[in-house]
Amino acid sequence: MQQLRCGTAAGTMLLAVLLLVISAARAHNITKLLAKHPEFSTFNDYLTTTHLAPEINRRTTITVCAVDNSAMSDLLAKKLSIYSIKHTLSLHVLLDYYGANKLHQITNGTALVATMFQTTGAAPGASGFVNITNLKGGKVGFALQDSDAIDAMFVKSVEEAPYNISVIHISKILPSEVAEAPTPSPSEMNLNGLMSAHGCKVFADALQASDAAKVFQENAIGGLTIFCPVDDAFKAFLPKYKNLTAAGKISLLEYHGLPVYMSMSMLKSNNGVMNTLATDGASKYDFIVQNDGEVVTIQTKVVTAKVTSTLHDEQPVAIYTINKVLKPIELFKASPTLSPSPAPAPEEEKPADAPKPHSRRHKGTTTPAADSPDDSPSDEDSADKTADDTGSAARLDGWRFVSAGISGLAALLLL
């Protein structure tokens, strides 16, 4: 039975490998696609400048409505801020695939499609939706949902990779007073209000009551990324938070911020150790950013938290929600499940009653109790370790199955 379970697990692993191969084959790069068409060079440049390009690249089933250099000149003549330009261009990224054939075969002659602007949280109501309409004579028109007239026409297909990405040429920029509206500068941004309105009020209130709030606001000008724990997570943590010294509270809050702007695509492509706002010389206060596909995690030596949503992502500020409070090793003891275990000493050399090592405490901080539920290994961890200790033989058979499966996959790919 154990061998059967391992064989099933190995088969699942083989399927995962196959999906990774397919995913890699379907990856796209909007900058490279548009680079082959110089008439869209200005549009392409601003996709990079506004950081929309990496967001487009990480998505699938998407349509980019590109405009030529002349149409971009009309937009730039309005002297909009870079943030308003980003909002406007994000209206031209449809969150569905529309190649030339699909555009001319729309059911009932019209379709309402969400755009990337709708996902930013800056589009009130349905202002981030676009209507696509089949017109007489084989023409296709584009208009914002609240528009009474056709705003732009389909010109031609530029690049198509069904059903992953389509790049089409439309005649002009889709006009939107909402997207073009002035946006507050980073120094004027109400970070606490933004977090409070999107499920992070407890964290935001703690930040507002601390001197750390000034540090966050000052960094918003040059670049800032915030990982704010959702309300339930920070509420559960409040007893431990209240036990910290004043300096410890500031360090913990600053530990949830990076002194640089990191979009979601940047987080996924820059895995590794990152310094935080709390980092100060010997006081490292760093953590590891890691991703597994679309899932991004923040790993300290005490806890691992998962990024659950994007609250705000406009350079130079990005704000993400996380499902746990980030606990730095400088303030809390390491979790046995997250720290590497030393190799056991040979049996003949182990003293009968070896003394336990003393734990160090960070000066000026409070260490939580040893029996804290989130600082101790879970039953699942213990069960997993038991399974690891008893299943080595079955695991060998499972890996033989994986090896055979991968060999078969390689043979199929070579056909």
Side-chain angles (χ1 to χ4, degrees), residues 152-387:
M153 301 296 294
F154 170 71
V155 178
K156 65 180 180 180
S157 174
V158 179
E159 297 278 347
E160 292 188 20
Y163 288 89
N164 187 18
I165 184 170
S166 171
V167 182
I168 61 175
H169 179 191
I170 62 173
S171 59
K172 58 182 181 179
I173 288 286
L174 299 173
S176 169
E177 292 183 359
V178 174
E180 295 177 7
T183 57
S185 67
S187 60
E188 299 171 339
M189 186 177 297
N190 185 351
L191 298 176
N192 284 13
L194 190 58
M195 290 187 285
S196 295
H198 294 85
C200 294
K201 187 177 187 305
V202 183
F203 175 80
D205 288 346
L207 182 62
Q208 183 65 33
S210 167
D211 290 340
K214 182 179 179 181
V215 177
F216 278 75
Q217 201 67 50
E218 289 174 347
N219 276 271
I221 299 174
L224 175 67
T225 301
I226 302 174
F227 299 100
C228 57
V230 294
D231 282 340
D232 287 345
F234 208 85
K235 281 180 183 178
F237 176 74
L238 276 177
K240 291 183 180 180
Y241 178 75
K242 291 177 180 178
N243 283 336
L244 293 173
T245 64
K249 291 176 181 177
I250 291 175
S251 294
L252 181 124
L253 294 171
E254 292 178 350
Y255 191 61
H256 288 74
L258 301 178
V260 291
Y261 165 76
M262 299 287 287
S263 68
M264 180 59 71
S265 60
M266 293 167 72
L267 287 174
K268 292 178 180 178
S269 61
N270 289 275
N271 287 186
V273 177
M274 294 190 180
N275 289 336
T276 68
L277 293 176
T279 301
D280 181 16
S283 300
K284 290 185 177 180
Y285 281 99
D286 55 19
F287 53 60
I288 295 174
V289 174
Q290 189 68 46
N291 79 290
D292 181 8
E294 292 297 305
V295 178
V296 175
T297 57
I298 312 299
Q299 302 173 4
T300 79
K301 291 183 175 66
V302 183
V303 68
T304 296
K306 182 171 69 173
V307 175
T308 54
S309 69
T310 302
L311 293 191
H312 179 86
D313 185 4
E314 286 186 21
Q315 192 179 16
V317 177
I319 306 176
Y320 306 99
T321 60
I322 53 177
N323 66 339
K324 295 180 181 179
V325 175
L326 299 177
K327 300 177 184 177
I329 189 63
E330 289 80 5
L331 297 178
F332 299 89
K333 61 183 179 180
S335 168
T337 59
L338 295 175
S339 300
S341 301
E347 194 66 30
E348 64 274 15
E349 295 178 5
K350 189 190 303 181
D353 295 305
K356 295 181 180 179
H358 295 286
S359 61
R360 292 186 179 180
R361 294 190 180 184
H362 188 272
K363 184 178 180 180
T365 62
T366 301
T367 304
D371 59 353
S372 176
D374 55 350
D375 287 338
S376 58
S378 65
D379 292 339
E380 290 183 6
D381 295 331
S382 300
D384 289 342
K385 186 172 188 314
T386 301

Side-chain angles (χ1 to χ4, degrees), residues 22-95:
I22 294 174
S23 177
R26 297 182 63 187
H28 56 260
N29 186 312
I30 184 61
T31 303
K32 290 183 178 180
L33 290 176
L34 288 173
K36 297 183 286 185
H37 306 275
E39 64 270 29
F40 304 113
S41 60
T42 306
F43 181 82
N44 196 14
D45 287 343
Y46 274 90
L47 289 184
T48 300
T49 302
T50 58
H51 295 280
L52 282 173
E55 295 300 316
I56 293 171
N57 293 340
R58 77 178 181 86
R59 293 177 179 268
T60 55
T61 315
I62 198 167
T63 302
V64 178
C65 301
V67 297
D68 60 25
N69 296 336
S70 175
M72 279 298 296
S73 294
D74 293 339
L75 175 65
L76 298 178
K78 297 181 179 181
K79 305 295 183 182
L80 303 176
S81 71
I82 192 65
Y83 311 111
S84 297
I85 292 175
K86 179 177 182 177
H87 284 166
T88 301
L89 294 186
S90 65
L91 266 174
H92 295 69
V93 183
L94 311 182
L95 303 183

Side-chain angles (χ1 to χ4, degrees), residues 91 94 111-115 126 128-132 142-145 174:
L91 266 174
L94 311 182
L112 184 64
V113 188
T115 70
F129 284 82
V130 168
N131 268 315
I132 306 175
F142 292 79
L144 299 181
Q145 185 182 15
L174 299 173

